[in-house]
Amino acid sequence: MDVATASSYARNRGEPRTPAGARHTRAAREPYCREPYVRVQSDSGTLDAKAISWDQTSVQVKWIDAQGSSRTAWVPAGKVRRIHRDESSWRDPYDDYAFYYPDR
């Protein structure tokens, strides 16, 4: 995964890096605290995260690493599968609880 640093994130304004000559599309987002949970399959295993933005080919995911730091990375969309919040190995403490559990 291509973990974004704060400076590269700011330089790209949260957008994926576009290869030279490629047509760039705008990324879509859900409202803050309502982002979908996803499971990312990578060569090193699986990662539960939140999808914070995406375009037609890639998804920007956010997760908390083992040291407690927030991380982001752009990954190919084919390696990402949406999961329910209850399936995730971690849960964002700032979630809009009523959004994820409307019947409770």
Side-chain angles (χ1 to χ4, degrees):
M1 280 186 268
D2 180 23
V3 176
T5 62
S7 60
S8 69
Y9 184 84
R11 185 172 47 253
N12 293 309
R13 292 188 228 47
E15 302 289 336
R17 292 177 230 15
T18 306
R23 192 174 138 221
H24 183 71
T25 59
R26 300 278 303 160
R29 296 177 179 270
E30 288 294 325
Y32 178 66
C33 299
R34 294 183 175 190
E35 302 95 341
Y37 281 85
V38 295
R39 184 157 291 145
V40 180
Q41 186 65 48
S42 70
D43 295 338
S44 58
T46 60
L47 170 73
D48 290 348
K50 286 181 99 173
I52 58 174
S53 60
W54 54 89
D55 62 19
Q56 293 178 339
T57 61
S58 56
V59 179
Q60 185 182 26
V61 296
K62 172 183 88 171
W63 73 98
I64 305 300
D65 68 14
Q67 290 75 35
S69 296
S70 180
R71 302 287 182 187
T72 64
W74 282 96
V75 296
K79 294 187 177 271
V80 179
R81 175 176 65 88
R82 189 172 181 161
I83 60 173
H84 191 274
R85 183 177 189 264
D86 291 340
E87 295 176 69
S88 181
S89 62
W90 75 278
R91 294 184 188 118
D92 189 336
Y94 299 106
D95 279 344
D96 178 350
Y97 190 81
F99 171 76
Y100 291 99
Y101 306 103
D103 297 331
R104 291 187 187 175

